[in-house]
Amino acid sequence: MTNELIKQVFDLIKLNNKLIAIESPLQERLSFLTNLACECLPLDVNCYLWTLEDDGLHQLVVNQETLALQTVEQYQAIAKNRREHYFEILRFWKTTDLQGILILEGIFPWLGESNTDPDFFLTSEWIKSALINLKLYNHSCNKTAILLGSNATVSSDIAPEVPTIVQQLPNIEEIKTHLLQVLSDYSQVEIHATASAGVGMYLADIDYGIRQAFADREITPDELVEKLSVYKIELLKRIYSIEFLQPPATAIGGLELMQEAFKTYKRLLTTLAKAYNLRLPKGILLIGPPGTGKSYSAKASSAQLGLPLIILEWGSFRSYGNLAEYKLKNLLALVDRINRIILYLDDFDKGFAGDDDLSKRLAGMLLTWMQERTSEVLIIASANNIQWLPPELTRSGRFDEIFKVDLPNYGERHEIFKIHLARFDARFHNGGDAYTEDEWKRLLKATQRCVGAEIGVIVERAAVSTFCRMFGDDVLPLEKLPPLLIQLSALLAARQSMNPLAIREADRVESMRNIAALQGQPSSSIDSSIYSLGNVDIFG
């Protein structure tokens, strides 16, 4: 992976580019510098590194693939006597008789778009001017300046003068090639399984995850795959503020039409579908009131398709400010590299509540990526207020499918209750039941306009109250514990202690439902269960 990056660097140098920007993550820095110095050695090209942190210039020296830094005294003497600011290196490199490649690390923050602070602005403009003059002054010299950093964002006024190379995440074949050296005693099958667990991480991260896994004892290849997967989930959460979930075993009550659509998407992932040029929809939008099961539906789709799920709170990007576009670019690159994954954008509408320039830029990036991507990624977004979304996001060809996720009907509430009751009451395991038809009708009538999330709370409150009635403060042996039997009365009492959102905020919820009905197709079929509204006396 890094060798491909080095090749791109020398291809630009051969085209006489004197100024090159490289975006490379910090954890890959040592590997990049070592590989660059190794490539320079047979070409008899000197390679130098300057860092903002100590304003020191060092020559990169490689001995048996081990990198060492040698201080360049010539710069140290000049900088000490004539230092007016931390960027004396730009004047030095323009006039020095040293030749080769100069790597400037830590300079990108001054190369972005304009800042309102006068001192920052003046320094930024001076650096940009100095870099352009450096390029012009050294046009006929064997000198190249490389700008190196983890975020190679440059302002539009100098972007045409600075070609940018981005170090991409390694693909599975590149990871397998690397692992053959690290895990030389592993079989091809074991290498492939380990590489699959490492997709989405840089090689340095994979190496660290492997060292961490072997820190305490020798482990089997299967254990390594499991530990590396856990490490990746933790790492992605820290870097991207996302949840990364393997396909869960998620049961879902109702929403039959949406679930049928998910089954269709699974068939579109087959090689047979590819032979007919069929593909996944570009995006799926779930709209409706809060708590109706939109997030749960995304998890259910992950279970049905057998694909991992990335959950991203879209509105959180606003908190990154000027780094928002950089964060989104990296996340979309991650999703592309992992491939065959579901990207779920939770509360998608909240990211556009401000209707500001940042929201529009992020929307533009997402739309461009959705239009141009070739990876097999299923995009699911949820929204409570579709009117907050820019019109260009909801037109045909962007989000191909829009589903209305409504308040659950009687039959769906019956299924949702049974799913939640099975968490606490063994009588409901494996589709079992403990209530009569009349008891169910009474409960379903009492929970009209309750959403799935509220039903979950009702069941949990009933379980807590049942537990508290069964036991005092005495601790009993676990093997002698009686079963927890949740009675209808406990559920009805829990319902009385709650004021559902659809009743408490009736006007807002009805507005959301009406707009969703106009924009989206139904996700549930007509209730044909024995508990349908026609079979329940709502006035009884």
Side-chain angles (χ1 to χ4, degrees):
M1 180 62 193
T2 306
N3 290 334
E4 175 62 27
L5 182 67
I6 302 301
K7 179 181 180 300
Q8 293 180 57
V9 172
F10 278 92
D11 285 345
L12 287 176
I13 292 176
K14 289 175 184 177
L15 295 173
N16 204 32
N17 284 284
K18 299 301 182 181
L19 199 58
I20 302 169
I22 297 179
E23 182 170 295
S24 176
L26 186 60
Q27 60 267 41
E28 290 288 333
R29 196 62 40 85
L30 178 60
S31 177
F32 168 74
L33 295 176
T34 303
N35 281 287
L36 181 62
C38 286
E39 189 70 22
C40 287
L41 190 61
L43 299 175
D44 198 25
V45 174
N46 291 330
C47 193
Y48 303 93
L49 173 66
W50 176 88
T51 58
L52 177 64
E53 183 261 335
D54 63 354
D55 189 26
L57 183 64
H58 300 86
Q59 183 173 352
L60 303 182
V61 179
V62 177
N63 185 13
Q64 296 181 345
E65 297 189 356
T66 300
L67 183 68
L69 302 179
Q70 291 184 355
T71 301
V72 179
E73 298 297 342
Q74 182 181 348
Y75 174 72
Q76 297 304 111
I78 292 175
K80 183 177 180 181
N81 294 327
R82 203 184 61 191
R83 181 184 295 145
E84 297 177 6
H85 44 63
Y86 277 114
F87 301 102
E88 184 64 37
I89 184 65
L90 300 179
R91 289 175 176 167
F92 173 82
W93 188 249
K94 184 170 71 172
T95 57
T96 182
D97 55 356
L98 298 178
Q99 296 192 9
I101 296 173
L102 170 66
I103 302 165
L104 299 166
E105 187 174 25
I107 206 170
F108 280 117
W110 283 268
L111 302 183
E113 296 298 337
S114 299
N115 190 291
T116 55
D117 179 78
D119 291 336
F120 186 95
F121 173 78
L122 291 174
T123 304
S124 173
E125 291 301 304
W126 184 92
I127 292 173
K128 292 175 185 178
S129 177
L131 288 172
I132 299 303
N133 287 335
L134 193 68
K135 178 179 180 179
L136 297 173
Y137 197 87
N138 292 328
H139 183 72
S140 58
C141 301
N142 294 321
K143 293 182 181 182
T144 302
I146 292 178
L147 313 178
L148 180 63
S150 56
N151 180 5
T153 301
V154 297
S155 59
S156 55
D157 54 341
I158 67 166
E161 301 293 330
V162 189
T164 301
I165 303 172
V166 178
Q167 182 173 354
Q168 304 292 347
L169 286 161
N171 60 36
I172 191 167
E173 293 303 323
E174 292 164 336
I175 296 174
K176 286 165 68 174
T177 301
H178 178 73
L179 290 179
L180 286 171
Q181 304 171 8
V182 179
L183 304 169
S184 55
D185 57 337
Y186 273 37
S187 68
Q188 290 289 339
V189 173
E190 292 165 345
I191 287 289
H192 180 81
T194 308
S196 298
V199 171
M201 294 190 288
Y202 288 99
L203 298 181
D205 296 323
I206 294 172
D207 287 344
Y208 182 82
I210 292 174
R211 289 198 304 272
Q212 189 181 69
F214 282 102
D216 298 328
R217 60 179 177 86
E218 288 294 318
I219 58 175
T220 66
D222 288 343
E223 289 175 321
L224 175 59
V225 169
E226 184 178 348
K227 286 179 175 288
L228 194 59
S229 297
V230 170
Y231 172 72
K232 178 171 75 173
I233 290 171
E234 294 173 350
L235 181 69
L236 297 183
K237 185 175 183 179
R238 292 201 310 268
I239 296 176
Y240 301 101
S241 298
I242 59 174
E243 283 187 73
F244 184 98
L245 304 176
Q246 295 297 341
T250 299
I252 186 168
L255 305 179
E256 298 90 353
L257 299 180
M258 189 193 303
Q259 292 192 74
E260 284 299 318
F262 291 153
K263 292 177 183 177
T264 302
Y265 304 151
K266 186 172 184 177
R267 298 184 65 185
L268 294 177
L269 290 170
T270 62
T271 53
L272 181 61
K274 290 181 182 177
Y276 286 93
N277 292 321
L278 300 175
R279 57 167 180 79
L280 289 171
K282 283 190 170 65
I284 301 165
L285 186 60
L286 312 180
I287 54 177
T292 48
K294 297 185 289 294
S295 299
Y296 210 71
S297 299
K299 294 178 181 178
S301 72
S302 174
Q304 286 189 349
L305 274 66
L307 299 180
L309 175 69
I310 285 180
I311 302 177
L312 167 68
E313 190 175 334
W314 181 255
S316 66
F317 272 102
R318 297 173 62 85
S319 64
Y320 293 125
N322 293 333
L323 289 176
E325 291 164 286
Y326 167 70
K327 290 277 189 179
L328 180 57
K329 179 190 72 172
N330 286 349
L331 176 61
L332 296 180
L334 168 73
V335 170
D336 268 333
R337 182 59 79 199
I338 293 177
N339 199 14
R340 289 198 164 228
I341 195 169
I342 298 171
L343 176 60
Y344 175 54
L345 308 174
D346 195 13
D347 288 333
F348 192 45
D349 51 330
K350 291 183 180 178
F352 303 96
D355 192 29
D356 54 14
D357 188 52
L358 176 60
S359 298
K360 294 174 182 176
R361 295 200 309 270
L362 292 175
M365 284 186 67
L366 180 66
L367 287 177
T368 300
W369 175 76
M370 290 174 67
Q371 196 71 30
E372 298 178 354
R373 66 187 169 87
T374 57
S375 55
E376 294 180 305
V377 179
L378 182 62
I379 312 298
I380 302 179
S382 68
N384 298 329
N385 296 286
I386 193 173
Q387 63 268 33
W388 286 357
L389 299 179
E392 60 269 22
L393 275 173
T394 55
R395 75 166 177 81
S396 180
R398 297 292 166 76
F399 283 95
D400 300 325
E401 302 275 11
I402 301 179
F403 286 102
K404 172 193 177 184
V405 187
D406 203 357
L407 303 179
N409 58 41
Y410 278 77
E412 289 175 324
R413 291 204 302 282
H414 173 250
E415 293 181 37
I416 296 169
F417 263 114
K418 291 185 68 175
I419 290 171
H420 286 293
L421 283 164
R423 295 163 51 203
F424 307 102
D425 192 331
R427 296 175 298 174
F428 293 90
H429 289 176
N430 302 317
D433 204 337
Y435 304 151
T436 66
E437 183 177 324
D438 286 340
E439 285 177 320
W440 273 118
K441 288 181 177 180
R442 184 180 174 191
L443 177 62
L444 297 176
K445 183 181 73 170
T447 54
Q448 194 175 16
R449 296 185 68 82
C450 286
V451 297
E454 291 165 338
I455 291 172
V457 172
I458 288 171
V459 172
E460 190 154 345
R461 287 182 180 178
V464 169
S465 66
T466 302
F467 170 81
C468 292
R469 285 197 305 270
M470 289 173 61
F471 303 105
D473 295 331
D474 298 332
V475 179
L476 298 178
L478 292 180
E479 61 273 9
K480 296 183 179 180
L481 292 180
L484 193 72
L485 306 178
I486 301 176
Q487 302 301 326
L488 175 65
S489 57
L491 293 170
L492 292 174
R495 165 62 186 88
Q496 289 300 314
S497 68
M498 171 188 292
N499 189 10
L501 177 68
I503 296 176
R504 190 172 68 249
E505 299 285 347
D507 291 344
R508 287 179 54 214
V509 170
E510 286 308 305
S511 174
M512 292 179 191
R513 295 180 68 198
N514 292 335
I515 293 173
L518 290 173
Q519 299 280 350
Q521 57 183 307
S523 55
S524 301
S525 55
I526 297 175
D527 187 4
S528 59
S529 72
I530 60 172
Y531 304 108
S532 66
L533 186 59
N535 297 320
V536 177
D537 180 8
I538 63 172
F539 301 105

